Amino acid sequence: METREQIINKVKKWIVEVLEPIRPELSGFAACPFVKAERLNDKIMYGILDGNTKLVDLVKEFDRSSYSTALFVQILEEDMSPEDGLEYQRFVNAVMKESGFGKYKNICFNPKESLNVNGFCPRSQAPYFMINIAPRKDLIKAHESLLKTKYFDNFPEKYRKYLQY
């Protein structure tokens, strides 16, 4: 069994090696153009959902913190299909809303995801199934700023639909 430190180190490595580099598939943008600043400024809360920790407890801790985003590793007994992962993302949003945390939204990163932009699929390179939690207003603002760029130009229609773009 991996230690918490080993798990978090794998996640940080994925952020640096997959999410931060400039990608030609994304018109010269990083997969997540905002994560590097958050990482360097220690604004990412890391957590692990392993059956001993409840999601709502981690969201409460995040809500009380000064972090701008949270990344929770979901330890699974077996892999989750992309369809089940999307359904789980909806479930997590519903749980947060019912628990009084509707101001947050989640995005799940599933290593079994196959949607890609010209062969690049950062979610499939994730070391674990992960749940990213951030304020809805911040995600909307980030999405709107990317819409003004060429970031989505190479995204196939199926991926744009998945992202509700």
Side-chain angles (χ1 to χ4, degrees):
M1 176 102 177
E2 293 177 298
T3 66
R4 181 184 196 288
E5 184 179 349
Q6 289 170 321
I7 292 170
I8 300 305
N9 284 340
K10 280 186 181 179
V11 171
K12 289 178 178 180
K13 182 178 179 185
W14 173 72
I15 290 170
V16 170
E17 293 180 359
V18 178
L19 297 185
E20 291 182 6
I22 301 300
R23 301 294 306 198
E25 301 91 342
L26 302 172
S27 303
F29 287 88
C32 181
F34 312 102
V35 73
K36 185 174 184 177
E38 290 178 330
R39 181 182 60 79
L40 293 175
N41 291 310
D42 195 29
K43 296 305 250 174
I44 302 172
M45 176 185 163
Y46 299 94
I48 300 173
L49 293 162
D50 58 4
N52 297 319
T53 308
K54 294 180 182 176
L55 174 67
V56 173
D57 291 339
L58 285 176
V59 175
K60 284 179 187 175
E61 183 181 339
F62 170 63
D63 187 57
R64 291 189 302 261
S65 77
S66 61
Y67 293 109
S68 59
T69 191
L71 196 53
F72 303 144
V73 172
Q74 176 75 61
I75 303 297
L76 301 170
E77 296 280 327
E78 55 186 63
D79 292 335
M80 194 179 302
S81 72
E83 297 78 20
D84 288 343
L86 186 55
E87 189 59 36
Y88 189 71
Q89 180 173 296
R90 290 183 188 118
F91 169 76
V92 169
N93 280 324
V95 167
M96 287 192 302
K97 186 175 182 180
E98 290 173 12
S99 301
F101 296 108
K103 66 182 177 182
Y104 298 116
K105 180 177 171 67
N106 90 90
I107 299 169
C108 290
F109 301 108
N110 187 347
K112 293 298 177 184
E113 186 58 64
S114 62
L115 289 173
N116 67 82
V117 179
N118 293 334
F120 176 62
C121 182
R123 293 172 192 234
S124 71
Q125 297 178 48
Y128 308 95
F129 187 94
M130 292 183 280
I131 303 166
N132 176 222
I133 308 275
R136 284 181 183 275
K137 64 177 180 54
D138 292 352
L139 292 173
I140 290 168
K141 183 178 175 184
H143 184 75
E144 287 174 348
S145 72
L146 289 175
L147 287 174
K148 297 174 186 173
T149 70
K150 295 181 178 218
Y151 181 85
F152 294 106
D153 284 4
N154 296 327
F155 278 61
E157 185 60 34
K158 184 176 180 180
Y159 207 160
R160 288 177 190 229
K161 188 173 183 177
Y162 174 82
L163 295 173
Q164 301 171 354
Y165 167 66

